Amino acid sequence: MKEKILQKSGEIFLKFGFKSVTMDDIANELGISKKTIYKYFGNKEELVDESLSHLHELILKSVSCICDKGYNAIEENFKIKNTFKDLFRNTDDSPMYQLQKYYPKTYNKLITDEFHMFKDCIFKNIEKGINEGLYRVNINIELITKFYFSLVMSVHDTNLHKYNKNTINTLELKALEYHTRAISTEKGIKILEQQLEQNAD
């Protein structure tokens, strides 16, 4: 039951926002009593925190699975991006912004966890791309990783963007294109163009 609550609450929080979703909403979605939720979670903040940790673990497993499938470095990044497409498809606001505003402790923890996962994933991807001749050899991998992380996080900055349905997915795709163009060889650019054509909405 705890697993079901974490799964469903994570979905609802991302779709409707961390502030507006109530414990009653989650209980109704699951067809259980609010008392059942409080059996596992002391309050909403605890549920937000644990549901995001749960989601982070699922994302980590999905990313690892994709990285084991033998795609080239550029294909791999697009496959990872597409895996999480549905998470933000119906979001008309930035869930990260809401999290930062209303649950700052959880937000700071999430950013730390995300950066460690992101850094490891992108670092390996860049090394792979260099070995495949898709990325240039004369790049500072650590710096490029930080640049890309900052770029992806800026997608969720409400001071920079206005959101409607699917805005976050579109912006993340543009961020991936920008990042890939900046570090690719001519061979890599050709694969990038193919991926952009295949992933055009």
Side-chain angles (χ1 to χ4, degrees):
M1 179 52 72
K2 184 176 182 180
E3 181 87 9
K4 284 183 180 179
I5 295 170
L6 288 172
Q7 182 77 31
K8 180 55 70 175
S9 60
E11 291 172 12
I12 299 172
F13 284 140
L14 286 177
K15 187 174 181 179
F16 298 109
F18 294 96
K19 182 176 183 291
S20 57
V21 173
T22 66
M23 299 296 246
D24 283 315
D25 293 330
I26 295 166
N28 290 336
E29 280 285 329
L30 285 163
I32 60 176
S33 68
K34 195 162 61 171
K35 187 178 178 181
T36 303
I37 297 178
Y38 283 115
K39 179 180 173 184
Y40 299 99
F41 307 98
N43 51 47
K44 184 181 171 183
E45 186 170 358
E46 194 176 310
L47 178 57
V48 167
D49 191 70
E50 288 199 41
S51 65
L52 284 172
S53 293
H54 178 72
L55 184 62
H56 179 82
E57 288 302 315
L58 291 178
I59 288 172
L60 191 56
K61 286 177 185 176
S62 295
V63 169
S64 297
C65 183
I66 290 168
C67 292
D68 289 340
K69 288 189 174 178
Y71 297 111
N72 69 51
I74 295 173
E75 288 174 331
E76 183 177 272
N77 276 342
F78 276 87
K79 292 291 182 184
I80 290 170
K81 167 71 186 73
N82 284 337
T83 300
F84 312 118
K85 204 171 183 179
D86 289 339
L87 282 179
F88 300 120
R89 182 174 291 281
N90 296 312
T91 304
D92 55 7
D93 196 1
S94 168
M96 294 293 281
Y97 170 76
Q98 287 194 16
L99 192 65
Q100 183 180 19
K101 185 174 181 180
Y102 299 108
Y103 300 94
K105 281 174 63 179
T106 300
Y107 173 82
N108 290 332
K109 177 177 175 289
L110 180 69
I111 290 298
T112 301
D113 291 344
E114 285 292 303
F115 180 69
H116 286 306
M117 180 186 79
F118 192 97
K119 182 179 179 182
D120 187 50
C121 181
I122 296 302
F123 205 95
K124 288 177 181 176
N125 179 269
I126 294 175
E127 286 184 329
K128 181 180 184 177
I130 290 172
N131 291 333
E132 292 171 337
L134 303 181
Y135 300 150
R136 302 193 317 273
V137 295
N138 60 334
I139 55 178
N140 183 324
I141 301 179
E142 189 156 347
L143 194 58
I144 292 295
T145 299
K146 289 176 180 176
F147 281 166
Y148 185 36
F149 183 76
S150 298
L151 183 60
V152 171
M153 287 298 103
S154 74
V155 165
H156 299 275
D157 189 338
T158 56
N159 293 313
L160 297 175
H161 306 290
K162 290 183 179 179
Y163 302 93
N164 50 46
K165 297 291 186 255
N166 216 31
T167 298
I168 291 176
N169 276 328
T170 302
L171 290 172
E172 286 192 344
L173 186 62
K174 291 294 184 185
L176 177 54
E177 179 186 354
Y178 186 91
H179 162 74
T180 308
R181 285 193 188 282
I183 63 175
S184 288
T185 60
E186 286 187 24
K187 180 181 174 184
I189 293 292
K190 288 178 182 177
I191 294 175
L192 170 63
E193 296 293 353
Q194 291 169 3
Q195 288 298 310
L196 290 171
E197 190 174 332
Q198 290 172 23
N199 288 275
D201 284 333

